[in-house]
Amino acid sequence: MAVFIVALLLAAFSLVGSQTFRDGNKTLEDYPFRNTSLPWDQRVDDVVSRLTIKEMQGLMGRCGMGRPNGGYPGAAIPRLGIKPFQFWAICDRGAENTFGNATNFPQDIGLAASFSPALLYRVSEAAAIELRAKDNYNTKMGYYGINSGLVCISPVLDLFRDPRWGRNQETHGEDPYMVGVYGATFVRALQGDHPRYIRGVAACAHMAAYSGPENIPVKRFSFNAEISDVDLRMTFLRAFHACVEAGAYAVESSYNAINGVPVVANKWLLTDVLRGEWGFKGFVMSDAGAVESLVTSFKYINNSVDAAAACVNAGCNVELSGDIETPYYFYLEEAVRQGKVKESTLRDLVRPIFYARMRLGEFDPPEGNPYRQYDVNEVVESAEHRALAVEAALKTFVLLKNNEVLPLKNGAQYDTISIVGPMANNTEQLRGDYAANTSPVYLTSPLEGLSGLAQHVKYSSGCNDTVCAEYDARSVTEAITDTRLIFVLLGTGQAVETEGHDRYDLELPGYQRQLLNDVMENANNVPIILLLFSGGPVNVTFADADNRVPVIVQCFLPGQATGTALRHFVLNDVTGAVPAGRLPYTWPKLASQVPPMVNYSMEERTYRYMREEPLYPFGYGLSYVSFQYSNLVCPHTVQAGQDINGTVDVHNMGDLTADEVVQVYIDWRNSSLPAPKLQLVWFDRVTTGPGQVVTVNFTVKSSTMALWMDNQWTVPTGAYGLYVGGQQPVGAKRAPSNVELATFHVQA
């Protein structure tokens, strides 16, 4: 149950101020914008028409970090009875909030590994419910500080482009189609399906081409991504288009520049493409401090007035400021006076902000809005959400190697096991970046979860912390002596890879590799189960090739239920514990396979363009059972612009109920086209019983066949390959299942 600290904080943190509920002779009820019988647009037009330039400036600019009290909301307008409005919250897999607890689900990259849009929807919906409940409480108590509102800066739709990027853990993988599916799913889950009201505002981040670097070799605040038009359209923008099509009310722009123009001031991107081509009707926010970076970092503009004018004229509605006293958008009144911004432009940019606030129900009586009935004491950290956290963690684990060790015998009780490594008992690092504040009673560490496997547990972290700059080899050697089973828990956590901090390389941090080597040298034929906790891949090529390490599992950053989920995973003692997670990114075999971070060409990046053999391919993962695909049926010929509907039979060849991830890929047989060598076009996670055959229906949308050619999207005519299975159709590292192949032709 959530515990909220109230009394002593209200006086310090309430930013409502005194409210004046009259404007001349009018009362609040007299304003058309409060008349619930009027159309939304008419209500919005009314409130916007009443605002002064200074009031619009306060709404658009007083948002972000800094003083006082941890963050500003958009300014209140007391004469109209309009309260402050906070544009800053995080809720992609848990309602992060300055005050109060919330359920902490697995980090986004792990959720992506589930290959389950249905799971992502349920997790996102749970996070949205808790977010709204906390906002109901916060607004009632008059708190509008940072992380307290309903504009969720999520989902992150940037691609996992380089394994060294510090924010990979926040992404949904490397494939633009997959990221788009997840993004659209999140938008629908967060905003809800009520015919009148929305539950929250999805602000899809960070548009666009923001996939590193953070700080190595250059800082993000001044980085210029040089990108071809083909790569920009086919890779970096596709997921954002899917977000807009799903009905997102907001977009957050990125820090970087694209081909010389900082995104926050990029009219081509924020107006011509986003609004003109895609029909986006919502509002755009800057990332925190991005407007200031035009002057301070990019040196693109030399003063605050011109910087504010450039961003507004480009189509950026809201400035999330850095830790500064005067946001740059507070110079908009001066920009209007100097003729650099039209007053009508400000009104146009304020309009979608108020439309979102109307749809949130801010100006309607609360009784008719079901989302305003959520109670923190009923929904936050509820038993249902805690159970979902366990299920979600289980579905994110990817079994990379298993030489007949897992699952352990159900109900096995060893006399002695060993648990070593810096990730064994560090729940903070296992939560991931931007995690919800979870009640300690609901956190389970791997050490806690796995300890129940034995009568005696020998434990050593081996390292002083996750960075492992100090290593105690003796304690590790002692911990693995006279044991029956060894768990080695290594990884990165946000101590090594996080926002603002890239990795220099793909190696295990500090002395972690030495720790694993010492275990391998002294294990005396005792099975070693290597559990990895990281956002991106680390170098375990040596362990994959060594029989002394029969099991390798990528656990990502599983959140509050890590220990409980791990115990179920190794024992397979609950429904859903059979692994079916698949890698949402390509895991390199060698560091030399990764191009320079600042090179934004997609050549040799991700499974779509990489020619060399990786250690583990995108979509790879093992199970405790095998599957057989058969009876692939799809049309032989389609017209350009038509979808393809197909079916395939999936046979569970084992004696366990298990999930299987069905993956559908296409290739373009015409090698002269500007096309990736392979493209995921459909995926889902299906449950099968022992020996059961399940018929799976799938749809390949025509948009997934389109290529960016001659400045437009085109579905080329000619031959295509269609591959359906539990993995990619080619590659040395494979799961023990087949891939069915068919061909089809597209006609004009």
PDB file of all heavy atoms in Angstrom, residues 22 37 105 165 178 206 211 253 276 279 281 309 318 338 415 445 496 648 708 717 721:
ATOM      1  N   ARG A  22     -13.010  35.190 -10.183  1.00  0.00           N
ATOM      2  CA  ARG A  22     -13.824  36.149 -10.917  1.00  0.00           C
ATOM      3  C   ARG A  22     -12.945  36.905 -11.904  1.00  0.00           C
ATOM      4  O   ARG A  22     -11.783  37.158 -11.661  1.00  0.00           O
ATOM      5  CB  ARG A  22     -14.504  37.150  -9.965  1.00  0.00           C
ATOM      6  CG  ARG A  22     -15.666  36.543  -9.200  1.00  0.00           C
ATOM      7  CD  ARG A  22     -16.378  37.597  -8.358  1.00  0.00           C
ATOM      8  NE  ARG A  22     -17.546  37.043  -7.704  1.00  0.00           N
ATOM      9  CZ  ARG A  22     -18.750  36.994  -8.256  1.00  0.00           C
ATOM     10  NH1 ARG A  22     -18.939  37.463  -9.473  1.00  0.00           N
ATOM     11  NH2 ARG A  22     -19.765  36.471  -7.607  1.00  0.00           N
ATOM     12  N   SER A  37     -21.287  21.092 -22.379  1.00  0.00           N
ATOM     13  CA  SER A  37     -22.172  20.766 -23.501  1.00  0.00           C
ATOM     14  C   SER A  37     -21.613  21.255 -24.836  1.00  0.00           C
ATOM     15  O   SER A  37     -22.117  20.875 -25.898  1.00  0.00           O
ATOM     16  CB  SER A  37     -23.561  21.383 -23.276  1.00  0.00           C
ATOM     17  OG  SER A  37     -23.502  22.806 -23.324  1.00  0.00           O
ATOM     18  N   PHE A 105       8.066  -2.172 -12.655  1.00  0.00           N
ATOM     19  CA  PHE A 105       8.093  -3.254 -13.627  1.00  0.00           C
ATOM     20  C   PHE A 105       9.459  -3.314 -14.313  1.00  0.00           C
ATOM     21  O   PHE A 105      10.280  -2.404 -14.164  1.00  0.00           O
ATOM     22  CB  PHE A 105       6.987  -3.043 -14.654  1.00  0.00           C
ATOM     23  CG  PHE A 105       5.599  -3.098 -14.074  1.00  0.00           C
ATOM     24  CD1 PHE A 105       4.899  -1.931 -13.768  1.00  0.00           C
ATOM     25  CD2 PHE A 105       4.994  -4.316 -13.810  1.00  0.00           C
ATOM     26  CE1 PHE A 105       3.623  -1.972 -13.226  1.00  0.00           C
ATOM     27  CE2 PHE A 105       3.715  -4.372 -13.261  1.00  0.00           C
ATOM     28  CZ  PHE A 105       3.029  -3.207 -12.970  1.00  0.00           C
ATOM     29  N   TRP A 165      25.638   2.852 -26.195  1.00  0.00           N
ATOM     30  CA  TRP A 165      24.839   4.014 -25.800  1.00  0.00           C
ATOM     31  C   TRP A 165      24.271   3.822 -24.393  1.00  0.00           C
ATOM     32  O   TRP A 165      23.704   2.768 -24.068  1.00  0.00           O
ATOM     33  CB  TRP A 165      23.705   4.241 -26.804  1.00  0.00           C
ATOM     34  CG  TRP A 165      22.902   5.477 -26.556  1.00  0.00           C
ATOM     35  CD1 TRP A 165      23.356   6.682 -26.107  1.00  0.00           C
ATOM     36  CD2 TRP A 165      21.490   5.639 -26.737  1.00  0.00           C
ATOM     37  NE1 TRP A 165      22.325   7.590 -26.012  1.00  0.00           N
ATOM     38  CE2 TRP A 165      21.166   6.978 -26.386  1.00  0.00           C
ATOM     39  CE3 TRP A 165      20.474   4.791 -27.176  1.00  0.00           C
ATOM     40  CZ2 TRP A 165      19.868   7.470 -26.451  1.00  0.00           C
ATOM     41  CZ3 TRP A 165      19.173   5.278 -27.250  1.00  0.00           C
ATOM     42  CH2 TRP A 165      18.882   6.605 -26.884  1.00  0.00           C
ATOM     43  N   MET A 178       9.222  -3.032 -34.828  1.00  0.00           N
ATOM     44  CA  MET A 178       8.937  -3.525 -33.485  1.00  0.00           C
ATOM     45  C   MET A 178       8.766  -2.370 -32.497  1.00  0.00           C
ATOM     46  O   MET A 178       7.825  -2.352 -31.696  1.00  0.00           O
ATOM     47  CB  MET A 178      10.075  -4.436 -33.027  1.00  0.00           C
ATOM     48  CG  MET A 178       9.888  -5.068 -31.674  1.00  0.00           C
ATOM     49  SD  MET A 178      11.297  -6.159 -31.342  1.00  0.00           S
ATOM     50  CE  MET A 178      10.735  -6.950 -29.843  1.00  0.00           C
ATOM     51  N   HIS A 206      12.485  10.208 -28.072  1.00  0.00           N
ATOM     52  CA  HIS A 206      12.874  11.618 -28.222  1.00  0.00           C
ATOM     53  C   HIS A 206      13.053  11.813 -29.713  1.00  0.00           C
ATOM     54  O   HIS A 206      13.978  11.250 -30.302  1.00  0.00           O
ATOM     55  CB  HIS A 206      14.175  11.917 -27.501  1.00  0.00           C
ATOM     56  CG  HIS A 206      14.222  11.422 -26.079  1.00  0.00           C
ATOM     57  ND1 HIS A 206      14.531  10.126 -25.728  1.00  0.00           N
ATOM     58  CD2 HIS A 206      13.998  12.073 -24.909  1.00  0.00           C
ATOM     59  CE1 HIS A 206      14.507   9.990 -24.407  1.00  0.00           C
ATOM     60  NE2 HIS A 206      14.190  11.162 -23.884  1.00  0.00           N
ATOM     61  N   SER A 211      20.123   8.370 -30.626  1.00  0.00           N
ATOM     62  CA  SER A 211      20.515   7.016 -30.208  1.00  0.00           C
ATOM     63  C   SER A 211      22.005   6.988 -29.898  1.00  0.00           C
ATOM     64  O   SER A 211      22.709   6.067 -30.276  1.00  0.00           O
ATOM     65  CB  SER A 211      20.171   6.006 -31.307  1.00  0.00           C
ATOM     66  OG  SER A 211      18.789   5.970 -31.557  1.00  0.00           O
ATOM     67  N   SER A 253      10.919  16.419 -28.259  1.00  0.00           N
ATOM     68  CA  SER A 253      12.031  16.491 -29.202  1.00  0.00           C
ATOM     69  C   SER A 253      13.327  16.098 -28.513  1.00  0.00           C
ATOM     70  O   SER A 253      13.423  16.061 -27.284  1.00  0.00           O
ATOM     71  CB  SER A 253      12.141  17.901 -29.782  1.00  0.00           C
ATOM     72  OG  SER A 253      12.493  18.821 -28.768  1.00  0.00           O
ATOM     73  N   GLY A 276       2.624  18.362 -40.977  1.00  0.00           N
ATOM     74  CA  GLY A 276       2.181  18.414 -42.366  1.00  0.00           C
ATOM     75  C   GLY A 276       1.968  17.042 -42.975  1.00  0.00           C
ATOM     76  O   GLY A 276       0.878  16.721 -43.459  1.00  0.00           O
ATOM     77  N   GLY A 279       0.039  14.635 -39.954  1.00  0.00           N
ATOM     78  CA  GLY A 279      -1.224  15.106 -39.406  1.00  0.00           C
ATOM     79  C   GLY A 279      -1.277  15.170 -37.898  1.00  0.00           C
ATOM     80  O   GLY A 279      -2.363  15.100 -37.302  1.00  0.00           O
ATOM     81  N   LYS A 281      -1.699  16.495 -34.314  1.00  0.00           N
ATOM     82  CA  LYS A 281      -2.495  17.604 -33.790  1.00  0.00           C
ATOM     83  C   LYS A 281      -2.104  17.979 -32.358  1.00  0.00           C
ATOM     84  O   LYS A 281      -2.683  18.905 -31.788  1.00  0.00           O
ATOM     85  CB  LYS A 281      -3.982  17.235 -33.803  1.00  0.00           C
ATOM     86  CG  LYS A 281      -4.528  16.851 -35.171  1.00  0.00           C
ATOM     87  CD  LYS A 281      -4.421  17.989 -36.169  1.00  0.00           C
ATOM     88  CE  LYS A 281      -5.063  17.609 -37.502  1.00  0.00           C
ATOM     89  NZ  LYS A 281      -4.889  18.679 -38.522  1.00  0.00           N
ATOM     90  N   ALA A 309      12.429  32.315 -30.158  1.00  0.00           N
ATOM     91  CA  ALA A 309      11.682  32.543 -31.394  1.00  0.00           C
ATOM     92  C   ALA A 309      11.907  31.410 -32.389  1.00  0.00           C
ATOM     93  O   ALA A 309      10.956  30.948 -33.045  1.00  0.00           O
ATOM     94  CB  ALA A 309      12.105  33.879 -32.016  1.00  0.00           C
ATOM     95  N   VAL A 318       6.308  23.744 -26.002  1.00  0.00           N
ATOM     96  CA  VAL A 318       6.616  23.839 -24.576  1.00  0.00           C
ATOM     97  C   VAL A 318       8.123  23.711 -24.369  1.00  0.00           C
ATOM     98  O   VAL A 318       8.752  22.811 -24.930  1.00  0.00           O
ATOM     99  CB  VAL A 318       5.899  22.734 -23.776  1.00  0.00           C
ATOM    100  CG1 VAL A 318       6.281  22.782 -22.301  1.00  0.00           C
ATOM    101  CG2 VAL A 318       4.384  22.859 -23.933  1.00  0.00           C
ATOM    102  N   GLN A 338       9.463  42.421 -30.739  1.00  0.00           N
ATOM    103  CA  GLN A 338      10.452  42.673 -31.786  1.00  0.00           C
ATOM    104  C   GLN A 338      10.009  42.166 -33.157  1.00  0.00           C
ATOM    105  O   GLN A 338      10.740  42.321 -34.131  1.00  0.00           O
ATOM    106  CB  GLN A 338      11.788  42.028 -31.409  1.00  0.00           C
ATOM    107  CG  GLN A 338      12.458  42.608 -30.185  1.00  0.00           C
ATOM    108  CD  GLN A 338      13.809  41.964 -29.902  1.00  0.00           C
ATOM    109  OE1 GLN A 338      14.430  41.371 -30.774  1.00  0.00           O
ATOM    110  NE2 GLN A 338      14.275  42.108 -28.660  1.00  0.00           N
ATOM    111  N   ASP A 415      22.048 -29.326  -0.979  1.00  0.00           N
ATOM    112  CA  ASP A 415      22.590 -29.094   0.357  1.00  0.00           C
ATOM    113  C   ASP A 415      23.340 -27.769   0.414  1.00  0.00           C
ATOM    114  O   ASP A 415      23.222 -27.016   1.370  1.00  0.00           O
ATOM    115  CB  ASP A 415      23.488 -30.251   0.808  1.00  0.00           C
ATOM    116  CG  ASP A 415      24.520 -30.636  -0.250  1.00  0.00           C
ATOM    117  OD1 ASP A 415      24.701 -29.883  -1.219  1.00  0.00           O
ATOM    118  OD2 ASP A 415      25.140 -31.702  -0.096  1.00  0.00           O
ATOM    119  N   SER A 445      15.708  -9.536  -4.133  1.00  0.00           N
ATOM    120  CA  SER A 445      16.988  -9.626  -4.820  1.00  0.00           C
ATOM    121  C   SER A 445      17.192 -11.042  -5.343  1.00  0.00           C
ATOM    122  O   SER A 445      16.555 -11.997  -4.872  1.00  0.00           O
ATOM    123  CB  SER A 445      18.121  -9.274  -3.864  1.00  0.00           C
ATOM    124  OG  SER A 445      18.264 -10.286  -2.879  1.00  0.00           O
ATOM    125  N   VAL A 496      26.729   1.901 -14.680  1.00  0.00           N
ATOM    126  CA  VAL A 496      27.670   1.818 -15.794  1.00  0.00           C
ATOM    127  C   VAL A 496      27.078   2.382 -17.073  1.00  0.00           C
ATOM    128  O   VAL A 496      27.769   3.053 -17.849  1.00  0.00           O
ATOM    129  CB  VAL A 496      28.124   0.353 -16.011  1.00  0.00           C
ATOM    130  CG1 VAL A 496      29.017   0.226 -17.237  1.00  0.00           C
ATOM    131  CG2 VAL A 496      28.846  -0.160 -14.769  1.00  0.00           C
ATOM    132  N   VAL A 648       0.043 -20.052 -40.121  1.00  0.00           N
ATOM    133  CA  VAL A 648       1.081 -21.067 -39.971  1.00  0.00           C
ATOM    134  C   VAL A 648       0.745 -21.906 -38.746  1.00  0.00           C
ATOM    135  O   VAL A 648       0.141 -21.408 -37.791  1.00  0.00           O
ATOM    136  CB  VAL A 648       2.479 -20.415 -39.824  1.00  0.00           C
ATOM    137  CG1 VAL A 648       2.615 -19.708 -38.486  1.00  0.00           C
ATOM    138  CG2 VAL A 648       3.589 -21.438 -40.027  1.00  0.00           C
ATOM    139  N   TRP A 708      11.683   3.927 -48.946  1.00  0.00           N
ATOM    140  CA  TRP A 708      11.766   5.352 -49.253  1.00  0.00           C
ATOM    141  C   TRP A 708      12.585   5.519 -50.522  1.00  0.00           C
ATOM    142  O   TRP A 708      13.788   5.314 -50.540  1.00  0.00           O
ATOM    143  CB  TRP A 708      12.390   6.113 -48.089  1.00  0.00           C
ATOM    144  CG  TRP A 708      12.364   7.605 -48.286  1.00  0.00           C
ATOM    145  CD1 TRP A 708      13.410   8.405 -48.626  1.00  0.00           C
ATOM    146  CD2 TRP A 708      11.226   8.467 -48.158  1.00  0.00           C
ATOM    147  NE1 TRP A 708      13.014   9.711 -48.714  1.00  0.00           N
ATOM    148  CE2 TRP A 708      11.668   9.777 -48.429  1.00  0.00           C
ATOM    149  CE3 TRP A 708       9.883   8.265 -47.843  1.00  0.00           C
ATOM    150  CZ2 TRP A 708      10.819  10.891 -48.392  1.00  0.00           C
ATOM    151  CZ3 TRP A 708       9.038   9.368 -47.809  1.00  0.00           C
ATOM    152  CH2 TRP A 708       9.495  10.655 -48.074  1.00  0.00           C
ATOM    153  N   THR A 717       7.239  -3.290 -56.912  1.00  0.00           N
ATOM    154  CA  THR A 717       6.705  -4.500 -57.525  1.00  0.00           C
ATOM    155  C   THR A 717       7.826  -5.527 -57.639  1.00  0.00           C
ATOM    156  O   THR A 717       9.011  -5.196 -57.596  1.00  0.00           O
ATOM    157  CB  THR A 717       6.130  -4.201 -58.914  1.00  0.00           C
ATOM    158  OG1 THR A 717       7.160  -3.634 -59.736  1.00  0.00           O
ATOM    159  CG2 THR A 717       4.969  -3.238 -58.813  1.00  0.00           C
ATOM    160  N   GLY A 721      10.516 -12.493 -50.374  1.00  0.00           N
ATOM    161  CA  GLY A 721      10.565 -13.694 -49.562  1.00  0.00           C
ATOM    162  C   GLY A 721       9.820 -13.484 -48.262  1.00  0.00           C
ATOM    163  O   GLY A 721       9.848 -12.377 -47.698  1.00  0.00           O
TER     164      GLY A 721
END
